[in-house]
Amino acid sequence: MRIVLLGAPGSGKGTQATILTKTLNVPHISTGVLLRQAVQDQTELGQQAEAIMNRGELVPDDLMLALIKERLSQDDAKPGFILDGYPRNLSQAEALDGVLAELNAPVEHALLIHVDVDHIVDRLAKRAELENRSDDTPEVIRKRMQVYEEKTAPVTGYYQQQNKLTQVDGLGDIEEINARISAALGH
Ligand code: AP5
């Protein structure tokens, strides 16, 4: 199954993908995780991305496309994937369709996890205490939300036009939300 998870920062994409990867037996591909690893390893990509991520802005599309293309071409992604954090703007959505057309493996489902802003701020403030992620400061969270509204939210329309979009309520217990997602996927 080939799935794109959409939703604001803190909506639970990573949390739900961690469960889905086991039940669907396809890899969870998170561009945020891949980028944080690159930063930690201080690769060329990591060095280019670090300051941008710390400001809550988007890493340039060409760097992201190279990263995702390489990851999707790996063998474990052949049976499918759960994409978390990509695409993040319309140009990335179009680029992804291009890459997947070459692989003859189009996106099947785009799932939007909806959570209101108050709950998101609450969740990210809690995560900041636990995980110390450098972009979970109040100022950078505000910036990430703004970038989401301006650039990422329109991506939902892109998948709606393709009749691939389902919105899921992202409030409640993690298991409850997972059940909603599984039902939406018919799984
Ligand atoms: P990324 O890592 O993708 O960050 P994000 O989209 O802001 O997502 P988060 O990881 O904050 O949230 P999430 O939706 O995964 O929620 P989670 O499950 O963690 O990107 C980071 C940066 O990398 C970007 O700002 C950008 O700079 C760069 N980047 C990444 N991809 C890019 C791209 N394609 N193009 C350009 N730049 C890119 O949950 C959040 C918290 O809530 C957790 O603590 C969790 O335990 C808790 N939680 C989850 N579910 C529940 C629940 N049901 N109830 C209560 N708490 C819950």
Side-chain angles (χ1 to χ4, degrees):
M1 205 176 275
R2 295 178 295 275
I3 302 167
V4 164
L5 284 184
L6 299 167
S11 57
K13 303 181 295 295
T15 303
Q16 292 300 327
T18 305
I19 304 174
L20 286 174
T21 189
K22 293 178 196 136
T23 51
L24 300 177
N25 210 20
V26 291
H28 167 201
I29 300 178
S30 158
T31 44
V33 169
L34 293 172
L35 286 169
R36 280 187 287 281
Q37 188 62 51
V39 170
Q40 196 180 316
D41 297 344
Q42 282 295 294
T43 63
E44 202 182 324
L45 170 66
Q47 289 175 11
Q48 287 170 294
E50 188 169 13
I52 301 171
M53 294 170 75
N54 286 340
R55 290 196 299 271
E57 290 167 6
L58 294 184
V59 174
D61 289 347
D62 56 336
L63 297 180
M64 295 311 300
L65 180 58
L67 179 72
I68 206 74
K69 209 170 173 175
E70 199 276 322
R71 182 62 189 87
L72 287 173
S73 67
Q74 290 175 20
D75 278 350
D76 67 337
K78 286 211 172 89
F81 49 77
I82 302 152
L83 267 187
D84 158 15
Y86 194 95
R88 237 166 164 109
N89 58 29
L90 287 173
S91 131
Q92 290 187 5
E94 284 162 7
L96 176 65
D97 274 355
V99 171
L100 294 177
E102 276 173 31
L103 298 170
N104 202 18
V107 168
E108 291 169 284
H109 299 277
L111 283 168
L112 170 63
I113 306 179
H114 177 75
V115 176
D116 59 84
V117 176
D118 289 348
H119 282 91
I120 280 175
V121 171
D122 223 42
R123 284 184 190 181
L124 294 183
K126 279 193 194 125
R127 188 173 68 186
E129 284 170 22
L130 295 172
E131 291 181 22
N132 204 21
R133 227 173 91 167
S134 58
D135 59 352
D136 275 346
T137 61
E139 190 193 339
V140 181
I141 290 170
R142 265 197 302 279
K143 179 67 186 174
R144 285 161 61 205
M145 291 299 291
Q146 184 198 338
V147 169
Y148 175 78
E149 288 303 333
E150 284 174 10
K151 304 202 164 144
T152 312
V155 172
T156 57
Y158 181 85
Y159 288 110
Q160 194 155 31
Q161 277 179 356
Q162 297 186 4
N163 283 324
K164 291 177 179 172
L165 185 76
T166 310
Q167 179 169 316
V168 173
D169 178 4
L171 279 187
D173 290 346
I174 288 168
E175 293 74 22
E176 203 179 322
I177 298 161
N178 179 252
R180 286 177 206 145
I181 291 177
S182 298
L185 294 172
H187 197 264

